[in-house]
Amino acid sequence: MNVLFQCLGITGLIMLLYGLLAFAVTPVASVFFWVLVILGTLLILTFVIKSLSRRWQLVTASFVGLNGIWIFLSFGEKLGFWDELDWRYLLIGAFVLNVIFVVAARKFLKDLFEKRAVQHGANAIVYSLIFLATLVVLNIFAVDVNRKWDFTESSINTLSQQSVDLLNRLDAPLNIYVFVDDQYPDKPRLKKLLGMYEFESDKVNVEFLDPDRERHLAEKYKVQNGQLVVEYKNQSHITQGTNEEGITQAILKVADKRDATICFVQGHGELGIDSENDDPRSLSAVNGGLENEGYTTKVVNNITGGIPQDCSILTIAGPTQMYTPDEVKSVENFLAGGGKAMILLDPNIPNPKLNPKTFHILPTGLEQTLKKWGVLVGQNFILEKHLELLRGMTVGLTVMARNYGNHPIVDPLKGRQTVFQNVQSIQKNKDFSGTALEIISSAKGDLSWAEQNIDRLLKEGAAEPNAGELKGPVPFAVAVEKDMKGKDELDERQTRILVIGDADFASNGMVTSYEFNFDLFLNGYNWLSGQKESITIRPKRLRASAIELTPEQSLRIFHIAIVGIPMLVLIFGMNLWWWRRRKG
């Protein structure tokens, strides 16, 4: 009978140790954990009560009782049985109770530790504590110096090398604010992906925010559900890209320092960069966006004597008055010296108050200069047909652009629509010695054309494609590149020009209504400034589907395979060994 109770004690000890092990690894105080701890403790107490003499039973009961009070108080506070207690008082109380126990049982303890069996047991306890301490140290080391290996064929659990290299270049904290609500379908995948960014760099901090609950932050960043804000060194960028390429591209935009100063020419009726927000020809919205992207903007009112030295990019946005020859000469010298320029030209017509005999497109004075640089400015309006509800097919001055060429400015816009109003054709000059690419065009076929009879269009409100007119797709944006030699043979510069046959697409009303218009505007400056426009990361394909387990299923498998089965084997083996030894 004594052997049976000894086996119960061994079983209880093993169950208690495995229960504590399960809690230390998970750590989840599950029903499995409580069953092992409580059942193991009861089996040990059964063995103690049965095996020890009466006086040792009293000593053990005192020890268990005193520490049981402290454990009861601790777990009672954790489970909310009473008001919160200060853990320091609990530790002091436990220490006092154990001191009382040691003083009261000092004679029994002395006799106990003089026995050889107890000394061997004490050594075993010391070795066990050393082993547990080693596990704790290894666990702390694993937390501080951690590394993971991805054995999947497509490396679906790690970031690409381009993303890792970019994160390694960060020298300041980078915050990613993810504005998604609980119903956002892609939230779990997004959490996993952004967790990889946090793992690769301790400078990355990801925070998920509900745009409805955190409305003040959503309004501050002007974001909607499903958008991300990447913030770094007082620069921020909003992106809807929730894959690795989109997120890494957004990080690149804020991490790549820009020193470019954009000069906006004023004085010829151009769109105002510093105009009021309610001005229909104001660029105040894009001005804030450019500054947010790290650019410096500046207004230049007089270019007769030349373009200021600090102008990295010259912008002429929708002039309504002709430039003088001296001003045109300043623009030519700037471009010849390797300058960068964005020129947005609206098709201007005479003021109706002057009662002109015929309406036509007014020149800006820049046409011949642009022709030298590979750009032909059309004297026309691009008309486009659209199918409207209840009205059928209509013809209007609005161009909904979906046809893009192959160029860094428009590559990110493919599959998206930009909108323009009152557009004139912009073509490349085939005789140009540099590189000129037509990057945006109107609708294909009979759905668009470049109307040259401006007088009939404005007076009669009617137009139809005629012979000699450009048929769709009609180009209205050209990007130009040409290498230039400086005074020194080693001084090589590259002139870059972006010409678009519409300026209003960047005005406040258009960029707030059509968000991809601002993307086009910003992409143009990124290309002009020579910034690395994009990082291309191929999508990772799964060759085989993985098993998706819930946290409860994972915990159940852990309890059965890692804890339960080894514990039963150990219980059976230890009890069998002890039974045979005691029975001879």
Side-chain angles (χ1 to χ4, degrees), residues 523-560:
N523 291 350
Y525 283 116
N526 290 342
W527 174 74
L528 290 170
S529 63
Q531 181 201 358
K532 295 179 180 179
E533 290 82 10
S534 62
I535 288 179
T536 302
I537 301 173
R538 291 185 178 181
K540 298 175 181 178
R541 297 181 179 179
L542 295 178
R543 294 288 299 273
S545 58
I547 299 176
E548 298 291 340
L549 298 177
T550 64
E552 293 77 11
Q553 292 172 332
S554 301
L555 191 61
R556 191 176 300 117
I557 292 175
F558 171 78
H559 286 159
I560 295 174

Side-chain angles (χ1 to χ4, degrees), residues 230-238 250-264 285-298 310 312-313 518 522 525-526 529 531:
V230 180
E231 195 172 60
Y232 181 75
K233 288 185 176 180
N234 298 323
Q235 296 187 46
S236 61
H237 179 74
I238 301 173
I251 295 176
L252 177 66
K253 287 181 179 295
V254 297
D256 191 9
K257 184 178 180 181
R258 303 181 179 96
D259 297 320
T261 298
I262 304 174
C263 293
F264 288 81
V286 295
N287 184 32
L290 291 173
E291 292 177 350
N292 194 42
E293 293 286 335
Y295 291 105
T296 300
T297 59
K298 175 182 177 181
D310 61 343
S312 305
I313 303 174
F518 176 69
L522 179 61
Y525 283 116
N526 290 342
S529 63
Q531 181 201 358

Side-chain angles (χ1 to χ4, degrees), residues 398-418:
T398 299
V399 176
M400 299 180 181
R402 299 182 183 89
N403 296 324
Y404 303 106
N406 296 319
H407 195 274
I409 294 178
V410 293
D411 284 344
L413 296 173
K414 291 181 178 179
R416 300 174 178 179
Q417 177 179 275
T418 46

